[in-house]
Amino acid sequence: QVHLMESGGDSVQTGGSLRLSCAVSGDNPETACMGWFRQTPGKGREGIATHESVLGSTSYADSVKGRFTVSRDVAKNTVYLQMNSLKPEDTAMYYCASTGRGGWSRCGSRKSSDYTHWGQGTQVSVSS
């Protein structure tokens, strides 16, 4: 049983930084491929970053490249999203997700449909 729980969301001003955490529990193969997504009301979930645990490969959406960094602490079983130079357009609910069992072929995908396990989300608000 995979369980994901995000934390670290807050309200910050433009240019500020936040670090989101995703506590991961459950079968390791099911959580080897992780993604961070965000969603605003009335819009679909946008995949913004992915992390693969064997090689440590990462990928980023153009909207966050150079500002956000995804990483994983294996000992703490936690995936992080470091967000710098935040902008008002980064305001959203942020979710972490895993591709689940047999999900290696979907590793690195930023499509929400490729992920089977989701956390409950954490809100990030950036004011100008």
Side-chain angles (χ1 to χ4, degrees):
Q1 183 77 17
V2 174
H3 184 65
L4 308 175
M5 180 174 290
E6 304 91 338
S7 62
D10 205 344
S11 297
V12 297
Q13 292 188 327
T14 297
S17 297
L18 283 174
R19 187 177 77 162
L20 304 184
S21 300
C22 174
V24 178
S25 62
D27 188 70
N28 283 342
E30 294 200 54
T31 60
C33 301
M34 300 292 295
W36 281 99
F37 293 78
R38 65 186 182 187
Q39 186 172 24
T40 54
K43 293 188 177 181
R45 291 186 181 182
E46 175 192 12
I48 55 173
T50 67
H51 184 278
E52 179 273 314
S53 63
V54 176
L55 297 178
S57 302
T58 58
S59 72
Y60 299 92
D62 288 343
S63 57
V64 306
K65 196 173 293 182
R67 299 187 299 124
F68 291 10
T69 303
V70 60
S71 62
R72 184 167 189 160
D73 185 326
V74 175
K76 295 182 178 180
N77 224 0
T78 301
V79 180
Y80 300 101
L81 184 68
Q82 178 67 43
M83 306 187 297
N84 298 328
S85 302
L86 283 162
K87 306 174 182 179
E89 51 262 46
D90 295 319
T91 296
M93 185 71 78
Y94 283 72
Y95 300 88
C96 64
S98 69
T99 57
R101 186 170 296 277
W104 283 105
S105 62
R106 302 186 295 276
C107 213
S109 169
R110 291 197 296 275
K111 292 171 56 180
S112 60
S113 57
D114 284 335
Y115 290 77
T116 56
H117 302 288
W118 294 83
Q120 86 291 345
T122 187
Q123 178 69 38
V124 172
S125 298
V126 184
S127 59
S128 56

PDB file of all heavy atoms in Angstrom, residues 33 52 99-110 114-115:
ATOM      1  N   CYS A  33       9.522   5.915  -9.233  1.00  0.00           N
ATOM      2  CA  CYS A  33       9.329   6.999 -10.200  1.00  0.00           C
ATOM      3  C   CYS A  33       8.299   7.961  -9.638  1.00  0.00           C
ATOM      4  O   CYS A  33       7.123   7.604  -9.483  1.00  0.00           O
ATOM      5  CB  CYS A  33       8.852   6.464 -11.546  1.00  0.00           C
ATOM      6  SG  CYS A  33      10.016   5.288 -12.269  1.00  0.00           S
ATOM      7  N   GLU A  52      13.534   9.942 -10.809  1.00  0.00           N
ATOM      8  CA  GLU A  52      13.672   8.495 -10.889  1.00  0.00           C
ATOM      9  C   GLU A  52      14.771   8.093  -9.918  1.00  0.00           C
ATOM     10  O   GLU A  52      15.874   8.655  -9.948  1.00  0.00           O
ATOM     11  CB  GLU A  52      13.996   8.092 -12.336  1.00  0.00           C
ATOM     12  CG  GLU A  52      14.191   6.618 -12.547  1.00  0.00           C
ATOM     13  CD  GLU A  52      15.621   6.208 -12.288  1.00  0.00           C
ATOM     14  OE1 GLU A  52      16.541   6.889 -12.766  1.00  0.00           O
ATOM     15  OE2 GLU A  52      15.804   5.209 -11.557  1.00  0.00           O
ATOM     16  N   THR A  99       4.294   6.441 -10.032  1.00  0.00           N
ATOM     17  CA  THR A  99       3.757   5.707 -11.181  1.00  0.00           C
ATOM     18  C   THR A  99       3.272   4.315 -10.803  1.00  0.00           C
ATOM     19  O   THR A  99       2.613   3.658 -11.592  1.00  0.00           O
ATOM     20  CB  THR A  99       4.805   5.569 -12.296  1.00  0.00           C
ATOM     21  OG1 THR A  99       5.968   4.927 -11.759  1.00  0.00           O
ATOM     22  CG2 THR A  99       5.181   6.921 -12.867  1.00  0.00           C
ATOM     23  N   GLY A 100       3.626   3.851  -9.581  1.00  0.00           N
ATOM     24  CA  GLY A 100       3.085   2.582  -9.121  1.00  0.00           C
ATOM     25  C   GLY A 100       3.784   1.363  -9.698  1.00  0.00           C
ATOM     26  O   GLY A 100       4.763   1.469 -10.440  1.00  0.00           O
ATOM     27  N   ARG A 101       3.270   0.185  -9.342  1.00  0.00           N
ATOM     28  CA  ARG A 101       3.857  -1.087  -9.774  1.00  0.00           C
ATOM     29  C   ARG A 101       3.852  -1.176 -11.295  1.00  0.00           C
ATOM     30  O   ARG A 101       2.852  -0.856 -11.932  1.00  0.00           O
ATOM     31  CB  ARG A 101       3.075  -2.243  -9.164  1.00  0.00           C
ATOM     32  CG  ARG A 101       3.682  -3.614  -9.435  1.00  0.00           C
ATOM     33  CD  ARG A 101       2.992  -4.665  -8.597  1.00  0.00           C
ATOM     34  NE  ARG A 101       3.198  -4.442  -7.180  1.00  0.00           N
ATOM     35  CZ  ARG A 101       4.280  -4.827  -6.503  1.00  0.00           C
ATOM     36  NH1 ARG A 101       5.267  -5.436  -7.144  1.00  0.00           N
ATOM     37  NH2 ARG A 101       4.379  -4.587  -5.218  1.00  0.00           N
ATOM     38  N   GLY A 102       4.976  -1.596 -11.849  1.00  0.00           N
ATOM     39  CA  GLY A 102       5.092  -1.699 -13.295  1.00  0.00           C
ATOM     40  C   GLY A 102       5.175  -0.368 -14.002  1.00  0.00           C
ATOM     41  O   GLY A 102       4.975  -0.289 -15.223  1.00  0.00           O
ATOM     42  N   GLY A 103       5.502   0.674 -13.257  1.00  0.00           N
ATOM     43  CA  GLY A 103       5.472   2.003 -13.841  1.00  0.00           C
ATOM     44  C   GLY A 103       6.782   2.484 -14.424  1.00  0.00           C
ATOM     45  O   GLY A 103       6.911   3.671 -14.747  1.00  0.00           O
ATOM     46  N   TRP A 104       7.779   1.606 -14.577  1.00  0.00           N
ATOM     47  CA  TRP A 104       9.072   2.042 -15.099  1.00  0.00           C
ATOM     48  C   TRP A 104       8.946   2.656 -16.491  1.00  0.00           C
ATOM     49  O   TRP A 104       9.663   3.598 -16.828  1.00  0.00           O
ATOM     50  CB  TRP A 104      10.055   0.870 -15.135  1.00  0.00           C
ATOM     51  CG  TRP A 104      10.604   0.550 -13.791  1.00  0.00           C
ATOM     52  CD1 TRP A 104      10.280  -0.502 -12.999  1.00  0.00           C
ATOM     53  CD2 TRP A 104      11.574   1.305 -13.063  1.00  0.00           C
ATOM     54  NE1 TRP A 104      10.983  -0.457 -11.827  1.00  0.00           N
ATOM     55  CE2 TRP A 104      11.781   0.631 -11.834  1.00  0.00           C
ATOM     56  CE3 TRP A 104      12.284   2.470 -13.330  1.00  0.00           C
ATOM     57  CZ2 TRP A 104      12.684   1.105 -10.876  1.00  0.00           C
ATOM     58  CZ3 TRP A 104      13.178   2.940 -12.374  1.00  0.00           C
ATOM     59  CH2 TRP A 104      13.362   2.262 -11.160  1.00  0.00           C
ATOM     60  N   SER A 105       8.042   2.137 -17.298  1.00  0.00           N
ATOM     61  CA  SER A 105       7.906   2.670 -18.656  1.00  0.00           C
ATOM     62  C   SER A 105       7.354   4.085 -18.634  1.00  0.00           C
ATOM     63  O   SER A 105       7.479   4.818 -19.613  1.00  0.00           O
ATOM     64  CB  SER A 105       7.005   1.762 -19.490  1.00  0.00           C
ATOM     65  OG  SER A 105       5.704   1.716 -18.927  1.00  0.00           O
ATOM     66  N   ARG A 106       6.740   4.451 -17.524  1.00  0.00           N
ATOM     67  CA  ARG A 106       6.157   5.793 -17.422  1.00  0.00           C
ATOM     68  C   ARG A 106       7.054   6.743 -16.626  1.00  0.00           C
ATOM     69  O   ARG A 106       6.708   7.901 -16.427  1.00  0.00           O
ATOM     70  CB  ARG A 106       4.784   5.714 -16.756  1.00  0.00           C
ATOM     71  CG  ARG A 106       3.803   4.804 -17.503  1.00  0.00           C
ATOM     72  CD  ARG A 106       2.408   4.870 -16.905  1.00  0.00           C
ATOM     73  NE  ARG A 106       2.344   4.343 -15.548  1.00  0.00           N
ATOM     74  CZ  ARG A 106       2.204   3.074 -15.254  1.00  0.00           C
ATOM     75  NH1 ARG A 106       2.127   2.178 -16.218  1.00  0.00           N
ATOM     76  NH2 ARG A 106       2.138   2.687 -13.996  1.00  0.00           N
ATOM     77  N   CYS A 107       8.192   6.237 -16.196  1.00  0.00           N
ATOM     78  CA  CYS A 107       9.110   7.042 -15.399  1.00  0.00           C
ATOM     79  C   CYS A 107       9.551   8.263 -16.187  1.00  0.00           C
ATOM     80  O   CYS A 107       9.943   8.139 -17.355  1.00  0.00           O
ATOM     81  CB  CYS A 107      10.320   6.186 -15.013  1.00  0.00           C
ATOM     82  SG  CYS A 107      11.023   6.579 -13.429  1.00  0.00           S
ATOM     83  N   GLY A 108       9.490   9.424 -15.583  1.00  0.00           N
ATOM     84  CA  GLY A 108       9.886  10.644 -16.267  1.00  0.00           C
ATOM     85  C   GLY A 108       8.743  11.332 -16.993  1.00  0.00           C
ATOM     86  O   GLY A 108       8.902  12.452 -17.483  1.00  0.00           O
ATOM     87  N   SER A 109       7.591  10.672 -17.036  1.00  0.00           N
ATOM     88  CA  SER A 109       6.447  11.290 -17.688  1.00  0.00           C
ATOM     89  C   SER A 109       5.898  12.431 -16.840  1.00  0.00           C
ATOM     90  O   SER A 109       5.903  12.353 -15.607  1.00  0.00           O
ATOM     91  CB  SER A 109       5.347  10.247 -17.905  1.00  0.00           C
ATOM     92  OG  SER A 109       4.150  10.867 -18.308  1.00  0.00           O
ATOM     93  N   ARG A 110       5.393  13.452 -17.493  1.00  0.00           N
ATOM     94  CA  ARG A 110       4.736  14.546 -16.774  1.00  0.00           C
ATOM     95  C   ARG A 110       3.237  14.562 -17.076  1.00  0.00           C
ATOM     96  O   ARG A 110       2.566  15.573 -16.878  1.00  0.00           O
ATOM     97  CB  ARG A 110       5.397  15.878 -17.104  1.00  0.00           C
ATOM     98  CG  ARG A 110       6.804  15.986 -16.523  1.00  0.00           C
ATOM     99  CD  ARG A 110       7.283  17.434 -16.499  1.00  0.00           C
ATOM    100  NE  ARG A 110       7.413  17.989 -17.845  1.00  0.00           N
ATOM    101  CZ  ARG A 110       8.489  17.835 -18.607  1.00  0.00           C
ATOM    102  NH1 ARG A 110       9.503  17.130 -18.167  1.00  0.00           N
ATOM    103  NH2 ARG A 110       8.547  18.399 -19.790  1.00  0.00           N
ATOM    104  N   ASP A 114      -0.381   9.012 -16.151  1.00  0.00           N
ATOM    105  CA  ASP A 114       0.639   7.973 -15.987  1.00  0.00           C
ATOM    106  C   ASP A 114       0.947   7.669 -14.525  1.00  0.00           C
ATOM    107  O   ASP A 114       1.784   6.825 -14.231  1.00  0.00           O
ATOM    108  CB  ASP A 114       1.931   8.381 -16.704  1.00  0.00           C
ATOM    109  CG  ASP A 114       1.835   8.208 -18.212  1.00  0.00           C
ATOM    110  OD1 ASP A 114       1.015   7.376 -18.662  1.00  0.00           O
ATOM    111  OD2 ASP A 114       2.566   8.918 -18.930  1.00  0.00           O
ATOM    112  N   TYR A 115       0.291   8.348 -13.613  1.00  0.00           N
ATOM    113  CA  TYR A 115       0.554   8.183 -12.190  1.00  0.00           C
ATOM    114  C   TYR A 115      -0.653   7.572 -11.507  1.00  0.00           C
ATOM    115  O   TYR A 115      -1.797   7.925 -11.784  1.00  0.00           O
ATOM    116  CB  TYR A 115       0.926   9.529 -11.560  1.00  0.00           C
ATOM    117  CG  TYR A 115       2.284   9.995 -12.017  1.00  0.00           C
ATOM    118  CD1 TYR A 115       2.459  10.546 -13.287  1.00  0.00           C
ATOM    119  CD2 TYR A 115       3.399   9.846 -11.210  1.00  0.00           C
ATOM    120  CE1 TYR A 115       3.712  10.937 -13.731  1.00  0.00           C
ATOM    121  CE2 TYR A 115       4.657  10.239 -11.631  1.00  0.00           C
ATOM    122  CZ  TYR A 115       4.805  10.781 -12.899  1.00  0.00           C
ATOM    123  OH  TYR A 115       6.052  11.163 -13.327  1.00  0.00           O
TER     124      TYR A 115
END
